[in-house]
Amino acid sequence: MNRYPIWVYVTVAVALLLGVIYTLPNFYGELPAVQVSSAKATIKVDSKLMERVEAALKAGNLSAGGVTLDATSVRARLATTDEQLKARDTIERALNPDPADPTYVVALNLLPATPAWLQSMHAKPMYLGLDLRGGVHFLLQVDMKGALTKRLDSMSADLRSLLRDKGVRHGGVAREGNSVLVKFRDAETRDKGRNAITDSTADLQLSERQDGADFTLVGTLSPQSQNRIQEFAVKQNITTLHNRINELGVAEPVIQQQGSDRIVVQLPGVQDTAKAKDILGRTATLEIRMVDDTAGALEGALQGQVPFGTELYTERGGQPLLVKKQVVLTGDRLTDAQPGFASDTNEPAVHLTLDSAGSRIFKDVTRDNVNKRMAILLIEKGKGEVVTAPVIRTEIAGGRVQISGRMTTTEAYDIALLLRAGSLAAPMEIVEERTIGPSLGAENIEKGFKSTLWGFAAIAAFMVAYYLIFGLVSVLALASNLMLLIALLSLLQATLTLPGIAAIALALGMAIDSNVLINERVREELRNGASPQAAISAGYERAWATIVDSNITTLIAGLALLIFGSGAVRGFAVVHCLGILTSMFSAVVISRALVNLLYGRQRKLDKISIGQVWKPQGNQG
Amino acid sequence: MEFFRIQKDIPFMKHALVFNVISLVTFLLAVLFLATRGLHFSVEFTGGTLVEVGYAEAPDVAKVRETLTNDGFADVQVQNFGNSRELLIRLPLQKDLDSARVSEKVMGSLKTVAGAEPQLRRVEFVGPQVGKELATDGAMALLMVVVGIMIYLAFRFEWRFAVSAIIANLHDVIIILGFFAFFQWEFSLAVLAAVLAVLGYSVNESVIVFDRVRETFKKKRGMGTPEVINHAITSTISRTIITHGSTEMMVLSMLIFGGETLFYFALALTIGILFGIYSSVLVASPLVMWLGVSREQFIKPQAKKEEAVV
């Protein structure tokens, strides 16, 4: 009566086998490796790069334990960390002849030492969270209001050049709060202007207003375009962050959107948080404006009388500079910036490339302002800094701009980097930070492992002592539960954190509940005089309802944590819920299969080893 | 081996009033502590910065505190963490400082303290908005667990059982929180997770006892309500104690080996498991009795008919 059909045994065997396979990669540990990825969007990682890396390693007399190529990077495994450092330097020299302008990011990494046959089955070790491997986690909040303001600013500039192109005379374009105001002399010109604007953009909702003698068009962003701008702002910021983080040389950065206006950045292995924050928190945006060189204006401004529509800045060299408030171009029009040398004088220079709209504006502005100065400003948290203020020598068409003069090679490089690292579509602020030192990460793993180990040992010792063979079966079921849980976590590549390890331990502590229930039920059946075979059968069947009950209430709590949890709680909840599922399978199906194998085939079973079945004396008579 | 050699049903219900009074007193004390002392929320909820540093040799805590205070961190809290060589520095949200930079400034300041070279082990910074969200999410999770369990119990049993079980287990939650308030232990997200996990876990205990109550009502005719409950508790007590004991072994292992990070998590579980046994058995059952459970509620007319034929 206590026999399972063959297919149940087969299911159990397959489950256990899969469990072993997918748990296995976690035991191989990690090998030091060097990871090469592209630093520039234009450069692809391909098999040629792989050959170059291999050649470089061979030239440096370093034996790599396998060079592999995946979608975004080439990875070379090394035997020791010493060789890893050497290999990085060798590869760096071979691939980036000009350290000032690296083509590839060469980073240190740890790769799982999983054998190839396991990898071919997609068996990978669990993905360790930052609290276990060390690193930095940031949560960045994108300033959506800032994104809209910025967009409106650049729209004002667009409108200005649009109206000029169409030959519509206007009395000024300005942003006021969340709207753009365009002034006209009379109603007729306003109608012309209105038509021109509606023809060119659908983003603005226009309304008319009369302020004294001015006929004004008020443009506000439509809700759809506001949404689109906000979505785009987050996307662009993520792209920009990717570029910036490449500078840090992090092997496996995680940059993800969270919610509608937040971005998570995780940098495993990074310890220098100050530098990471410098790079991430650089909420710099670029603006090109004209310099006010009117005679006497600067002197007046220095004495506290800043002329209307201008602002006083200090150049990098320390000289004061009066800059107009009107923005000619913003950083979104800039597609590239590279350091180099001026084509005529061979001085260090920065080459800028503008997009088509930017080129048109730039052409107009330079034509009208030859021999005047323009300022490129880096606006960081509302404070501007003049990066450079070159003199316009000629009209510049085609969108290729060269800034030269009064700079060294290093300065040219710095300026190019600042310009290129991309402008953010909207300012961002760090709203959460978690930094875990590498030693703490290793300690956390050890502590979590020890807790689970000793807890498991204690439970195992108790179960075997109390329930003898049935206890042993319970322990084996519990061990397979642990294995299945780890296999599942590895298969899903869920992130394992310290709370996750705690959840594994707790899942084991709670899973034994099912086996105790079963064993107690079997004992009870024996106490009531059932035959051993009947007791086993009845015990498992009757315990089932209770086991389901107990797991459902725990699962309710787990799911609530999963839905509302964030960070630490989520890591706990995922493992908790998975643990409940695996424990139901292992405690009931696997342990029953074991018991059936042990006892099920014996026709005359007089006694089963489940510890003492004590009967109250009253019942014995 | 058999730990539970119980000859007769233990007359738990004789002392029902005593149990309920004990619970009421602990519950009121817990509420009192929560009201007067309040919970010591971690940075996750309050927002602020937490920096953990390690030293090769035990640093002079007073000197570190003085240096930090002099460097402009007015409300700094410095304490040993785990052992004398590790320090935990807590700072509330700084209004005037660029809050994301606080940890670097603290490290800079620590490096000026003579004699000891600090090593950064951990930084947590939570902005005010995130803190608020985590707190609301936590409250929502708690609410959802309670509502979810109530719905489940209402399906599973009739209302008397559902109400008693949820009262008994919420009283557990309050008592755990009371402990955290009384000792001013740090209440973090992990502790919240522990509280919720233990809530789901110990409600189950009531379910098991109630199942037995229902079964006994149906099986044994001559028993009064208190006797039925006594029988149900007595026959499940060995399972209750063994399973909770096993879970507690695991939790104790975490408490001992898990280090500071898991300490309060394990502590909340420990209190939750101990009070869970007590309340789901000895608080919920008397409540069911007071609420007037009786045999008639379980015996369907059809069953009666069958018995009449026999």
Side-chain angles (χ1 to χ4, degrees), chain A residues 277 431 433 451 520 549 612, chain B residues 5 100 104 152 156 238 253:
Chain A
K277 272 187 215 168
V431 289
E433 180 206 336
S451 326
E520 284 292 312
D549 261 337
Q612 189 181 16
Chain B
R5 308 186 176 201
E104 276 102 81
Y152 173 71
R156 188 81 174 64
S238 101
S253 169

Side-chain angles (χ1 to χ4, degrees), chain A residues 341-372:
Chain A
F341 295 95
S343 47
D344 44 354
T345 56
N346 248 3
E347 283 176 300
V350 180
H351 301 281
L352 307 181
T353 316
L354 300 171
D355 66 4
S356 61
S359 314
R360 211 184 47 212
I361 299 170
F362 204 76
K363 184 181 161 193
D364 292 348
V365 171
T366 48
R367 186 186 52 220
D368 298 348
N369 293 289
V370 173
N371 285 331
K372 289 188 184 157

Side-chain angles (χ1 to χ4, degrees), chain B residues 36-295:
Chain B
T36 53
R37 286 168 174 252
L39 284 173
H40 173 49
F41 285 109
S42 70
V43 241
E44 288 154 325
F45 294 113
T46 58
T49 309
L50 183 148
V51 182
E52 190 189 324
V53 280
Y55 290 88
E57 277 166 45
D60 184 348
V61 179
K63 224 161 85 187
V64 170
R65 192 175 295 133
E66 200 188 302
T67 313
L68 285 171
T69 315
N70 288 342
D71 284 349
F73 301 105
D75 303 326
V76 68
Q77 272 182 44
V78 183
Q79 63 188 89
N80 282 113
F81 187 66
N83 58 50
S84 65
R85 281 178 291 110
E86 274 160 40
L87 288 185
L88 197 64
I89 294 151
R90 259 180 252 264
L91 286 157
L93 283 171
Q94 313 275 310
K95 283 215 177 67
D96 44 342
L97 282 169
D98 179 3
S99 44
R101 295 276 172 180
V102 168
S103 58
E104 276 102 81
K105 288 189 184 128
V106 168
M107 281 311 284
S109 175
L110 286 180
K111 282 184 182 138
T112 63
V113 179
E117 184 59 29
Q119 240 207 330
L120 183 69
R121 288 170 63 84
R122 178 163 66 106
V123 173
E124 263 181 58
F125 159 72
V126 179
Q129 186 57 36
V130 177
K132 264 185 220 151
E133 277 170 29
L134 289 179
T136 3
D137 283 354
M140 280 304 290
L142 180 62
L143 190 71
M144 201 181 135
V145 172
V146 171
V147 171
I149 288 176
M150 281 225 281
I151 291 174
Y152 173 71
L153 287 176
F155 266 111
R156 188 81 174 64
F157 296 103
E158 60 144 0
W159 66 272
R160 288 180 184 83
F161 290 107
V163 170
S164 326
I166 208 73
I167 291 179
N169 289 288
L170 275 185
H171 132 281
D172 283 357
V173 170
I174 300 291
I175 286 173
I176 302 177
L177 297 184
F179 268 93
F180 273 79
F182 180 75
F183 291 102
Q184 288 291 297
W185 292 329
E186 190 176 75
F187 189 83
S188 62
L189 273 176
V191 172
L192 180 72
V195 169
L196 294 186
V198 91
L199 180 62
Y201 177 66
S202 66
V203 160
N204 161 52
E205 216 43 58
S206 313
V207 173
I208 282 160
V209 174
F210 290 166
D211 255 343
R212 281 289 174 131
V213 170
R214 196 153 63 173
E215 196 182 311
T216 318
F217 265 130
K218 284 180 189 163
K219 267 192 195 160
K220 310 210 169 176
R221 310 210 78 209
M223 278 186 181
T225 306
E227 285 77 32
V228 166
I229 295 178
N230 283 342
H231 179 76
I233 298 178
T234 309
S235 52
T236 52
I237 195 134
S238 101
R239 183 215 86 107
T240 304
I241 292 184
I242 291 175
T243 56
H244 282 79
S246 306
T247 314
E248 187 51 42
M249 275 194 257
M250 193 54 110
V251 172
L252 275 180
S253 169
M254 265 192 261
L255 201 62
I256 298 167
F257 300 105
E260 290 286 331
T261 334
L262 288 183
F263 186 78
Y264 290 118
F265 172 81
L267 202 58
L269 283 174
T270 302
I271 302 170
I273 288 172
L274 293 181
F275 273 85
I277 300 180
Y278 169 77
S279 70
S280 53
V281 176
L282 298 178
V283 178
S285 309
L287 280 175
V288 170
M289 196 166 76
W290 304 137
L291 288 173
V293 77
S294 68
R295 180 186 319 280

Side-chain angles (χ1 to χ4, degrees), chain A residues 214-230:
Chain A
D214 285 333
F215 292 80
T216 314
L217 266 184
V218 182
T220 45
L221 288 168
S222 65
Q224 298 98 305
S225 55
Q226 281 192 20
N227 281 342
R228 213 181 49 236
I229 289 165
Q230 294 184 341

